[in-house]
Amino acid sequence: MNTQQPLRRFGPQFVLEQQKRYSKRPPENRMLSYDLAVLDEYEPWRIWLDEQLDLLPQNTAKTFAANLWRDQNFWPDVIELAAGAALRRRGFGVEFERRWGNLTPDWTVVDDGTPLALVEVHTHSPRKGTSAKIKAWHALVERLKEIPVPVVLTVAGDPSGPLQAPDAGTAKKIAQDLRRVLLSPLHQSAFRSQGYTFLLQADPSTGQTMRSPGMRTILVPPSNIAGVVSAQSLAAGIETKISKYRALAEETGLPLIVAAGADKFTGLELQHLDDLLRGAPTLSMQFNFGDSFIHHPVEIDPSNPPRWTMPPELAGVLWVNNEFPFTTAWRLNPTAATPVPAALAVSETETHPPTAAGA
């Protein structure tokens, strides 16, 4: 009897290697997914990733494992694997990047080897440069943690433009300045350093200075992702996928599905897709402390809100949540030229009732 345990790509040895490689690096030189790669609380994520890669061809799994933890790959790869897992949970087989002539849709749904549907995956991602800004602010957060004063700081925003993240040299000078003023006997609520204004936060219930857990200074940095949260760009990405696979779907007579999800930093959720599908006159914004500049002007006509109608070539959208264990919800196209099999169109979770365009 073969009792050998399956290979753990992201098991204890992987964790040790990541800690050895990255733990002493400044945060701006680590991957954003570092905590997911090493902390005990995320071990279920790593086990799940191992399980999904075990279901792929060996060479494909090897490539996935090598590239997965890169900032630009992590969420698109997770959403792609989660889409395949969701299709399997419905009792179907899936083939990864099956070749159809010159095209290789991400997943082909099969039943006893017979193709049933084509599935392409689209992940909504933040604006270019967001990851670098987040890392740079996090580097300052780590420097300020070395100050033994248990206070919570935020950064005052600038309404004329987004705050630029400090470079490594500037972050070092800021930490030196704040250490000096925070350890002084003078009581201040605002501190200027290197062109930035840092604000001492008060407990809203008592009005007293907020104390951070542990003897250290905590900075809540700006997110640099302030602005409107809308599914319009997601819909545009789905339309691009449709244009690429429209002819193949027509030729094969198979329904075309787009599995869609979002990077955590975009703030996009299923509700935003539903609002766009029904043309809801709603406006969603996201902010963090220090986010006071909207990158694009906001124009909305409540009497004529944006609305997206799924093209007939699209059988529906399989929404993939970006929270473990990555449950899904269907939004079927009621006017699809080729509908999906009923057994596929089962939502695993609902946080609110589906729209008229939903399942």
Side-chain angles (χ1 to χ4, degrees):
M1 178 182 296
N2 184 7
T3 59
Q4 183 177 1
Q5 295 295 314
L7 172 68
R8 284 287 308 277
R9 296 176 180 85
F10 307 130
Q13 185 61 38
F14 166 81
V15 172
L16 289 174
E17 290 173 355
Q18 294 301 302
Q19 290 173 328
K20 182 178 179 180
R21 182 176 181 182
Y22 291 107
S23 63
K24 294 183 180 180
R25 292 189 185 186
E28 67 270 26
N29 292 335
R30 297 177 189 163
M31 55 198 181
L32 287 175
S33 55
Y34 177 74
D35 286 352
L36 298 173
V38 301
L39 296 184
D40 290 344
E41 63 191 275
Y42 294 110
E43 185 177 9
W45 290 56
R46 298 191 293 271
I47 292 174
W48 179 85
L49 287 168
D50 278 331
E51 291 172 347
Q52 302 313 307
L53 294 186
D54 284 342
L55 298 172
L56 298 178
Q58 185 174 358
N59 288 339
T60 301
K62 184 177 181 180
T63 300
F64 252 99
N67 297 321
L68 174 68
W69 300 96
R70 296 177 181 175
D71 289 337
Q72 68 272 25
N73 294 340
F74 184 78
W75 283 111
D77 282 0
V78 166
I79 297 298
E80 188 169 9
L81 292 173
L87 296 167
R88 292 189 193 96
R89 286 195 296 271
R90 289 163 171 82
F92 295 94
V94 288
E95 296 181 13
F96 181 73
E97 293 189 345
R98 173 172 174 166
R99 181 164 294 281
W100 295 83
N102 294 326
L103 295 175
T104 53
D106 292 318
W107 299 104
T108 297
V109 182
V110 297
D111 185 16
D112 290 332
T114 302
L116 294 182
L118 306 173
V119 182
E120 185 66 6
V121 181
H122 175 67
T123 302
H124 181 56
S125 300
R127 286 185 294 269
K128 186 178 180 180
T130 298
S131 295
K133 294 176 182 177
I134 292 172
K135 287 182 177 181
W137 281 112
H138 188 50
L140 179 59
V141 169
E142 292 299 312
R143 284 187 178 275
L144 296 187
K145 283 182 181 179
E146 299 175 4
I147 303 175
V149 181
V151 294
V152 178
L153 300 176
T154 59
V155 189
D158 183 350
S160 66
L163 284 175
Q164 297 301 312
D167 58 29
T170 302
K172 182 177 181 180
K173 293 176 182 177
I174 290 173
Q176 292 170 343
D177 291 344
L178 292 185
R179 171 182 286 272
R180 184 167 53 254
V181 296
L182 288 172
L183 290 173
S184 76
L186 298 177
H187 297 285
Q188 303 178 50
S189 59
F191 315 96
R192 289 282 297 172
S193 175
Q194 308 300 316
Y196 299 88
T197 299
F198 296 87
L199 306 175
L200 198 65
Q201 292 300 289
D203 188 324
S205 61
T206 65
Q208 300 298 312
T209 299
M210 187 181 296
R211 292 180 64 85
S212 64
M215 289 298 296
R216 59 182 184 176
T217 297
I218 298 298
L219 171 66
V220 182
S223 65
N224 280 260
I225 56 175
V228 177
V229 181
S230 169
Q232 285 182 274
S233 58
L234 176 78
I238 292 174
E239 296 265 11
T240 299
K241 296 289 187 181
I242 295 169
S243 65
K244 181 176 181 180
Y245 289 95
R246 176 184 290 113
L248 176 62
E250 292 176 351
E251 179 183 342
T252 60
L254 297 175
L256 175 60
I257 300 163
V258 174
D263 184 297
K264 291 283 287 185
F265 292 115
T266 65
L268 191 70
E269 299 176 354
L270 176 60
Q271 181 66 61
H272 298 109
L273 175 60
D274 283 345
D275 288 344
L276 186 64
L277 285 170
R278 71 173 188 266
T282 59
L283 182 66
S284 294
M285 308 287 291
Q286 66 175 349
F287 290 93
N288 200 352
F289 291 104
D291 287 336
S292 58
F293 174 73
I294 302 301
H295 296 257
H296 302 287
V298 179
E299 297 181 5
I300 183 169
D301 180 359
S303 63
N304 186 30
R307 183 169 188 168
W308 182 52
T309 300
M310 296 189 199
E313 298 89 352
L314 178 65
V317 176
L318 176 64
W319 176 264
V320 181
N321 292 307
N322 56 18
E323 290 285 350
F324 183 80
F326 312 115
T327 52
T328 58
W330 275 97
R331 293 299 179 257
L332 295 181
N333 183 2
T335 62
T338 309
V340 298
L344 269 178
V346 177
S347 288
E348 299 175 301
T349 182
E350 289 292 351
T351 56
H352 48 81
T355 67

